[in-house]
Amino acid sequence: MRSLRQARASVPLASLTRTDFAEWLAAQRGEGLFLTYLVNRLSTARDFIGWAQGAGYFPRGENPAAGHVAASKKLKKQRAKTHGSQPFTDDQVARIFDPVNYAKGISGEASRWLPVILLYTGARSNEVARLELEDIEDVDGLPVLNFCWVGDDKSLKTGPSDRQTPVHPDLVALGLLDRVARLRAAGETKLFP
């Protein structure tokens, strides 16, 4: 992260300074990279340095990757409209989940289940991936997925994200509840151990 000439050489983590990050940012801006992309790159560097400080790999104190650049919410929204996540088209979804393609493209039971559950629930991938077996319960005779804050390593985006979602009958027919029963019998605690 020193200069463009020195960027190819390895630099010890603990020697990085605020000036290194500022010079890196200036060089990247000179290449015409979009501001929101640079904000994301620096945010990742800032978070990594923060982790390294906590783990004792980088001196505590000011984070040299923090505070160099920011993007307004308005700019982020504008950029997201053209470069953010875009929904799949109906044709794309049909091709992805076509049984022949799906069986060829994804190996492993957990890897096959996650996209199908996402398709039927509309939940975020991290919400489904962190489901615990106790989050799949019977409520008044109806199986539900309980997306909640309670549990290890769980995270929800907002308060209303704490919710119960009925398990679609197609998921039951595909064997989701059988998977849950099998994992419980094996002493597992997570839907995706």
Side-chain angles (χ1 to χ4, degrees):
M1 283 195 186
R2 300 266 181 220
S3 67
L4 288 176
R5 188 168 37 92
Q6 296 170 325
R8 292 188 180 114
S10 294
V11 177
L13 177 65
S15 73
L16 292 174
T17 67
R18 188 161 185 72
T19 302
D20 293 325
F21 284 98
E23 288 176 357
W24 175 84
L25 178 61
Q28 297 296 300
R29 284 186 121 166
E31 292 181 17
L33 296 174
F34 202 76
L35 181 63
T36 53
Y37 174 77
L38 296 174
V39 168
N40 289 341
R41 298 274 312 262
L42 273 171
S43 175
T44 301
R46 182 198 66 226
D47 292 348
F48 177 74
I49 295 288
W51 169 84
Q53 286 174 322
Y57 298 114
F58 195 93
R60 289 195 180 267
E62 181 186 5
N63 186 324
H68 289 278
V69 66
S72 68
K73 285 185 179 180
K74 181 180 178 183
L75 179 63
K76 288 178 185 178
K77 283 182 182 180
Q78 288 173 338
R79 184 70 176 171
K81 286 180 183 177
T82 57
H83 292 80
S85 298
Q86 302 296 314
F88 288 111
T89 65
D90 291 344
D91 181 56
Q92 289 170 326
V93 171
R95 283 186 291 152
I96 291 168
F97 289 98
D98 175 86
V100 174
N101 292 334
Y102 199 70
K104 283 191 299 189
I106 299 177
S107 63
E109 184 184 15
S111 297
R112 286 191 299 273
W113 270 112
L114 187 65
V116 173
I117 294 170
L118 295 172
L119 179 68
Y120 277 91
T121 63
R124 293 177 181 88
S125 58
N126 67 325
E127 292 175 327
V128 174
R130 294 176 177 170
L131 278 171
E132 296 178 7
L133 295 176
E134 67 183 22
D135 296 330
I136 300 140
E137 54 192 3
D138 186 80
V139 176
D140 298 327
L142 183 69
V144 299
L145 302 174
N146 186 18
F147 297 104
C148 63
W149 299 95
V150 179
D152 294 337
D153 304 317
K154 285 196 178 176
S155 157
L156 297 175
K157 193 165 184 176
T158 64
S161 296
D162 192 339
R163 67 202 184 280
Q164 289 184 329
T165 301
V167 175
H168 194 281
D170 287 353
L171 291 175
V172 174
L174 289 169
L176 178 61
L177 299 181
D178 296 334
R179 174 180 169 77
V180 170
R182 191 173 61 253
L183 290 169
R184 284 180 176 151
E188 296 290 350
T189 59
K190 301 210 178 251
L191 182 58
F192 299 103

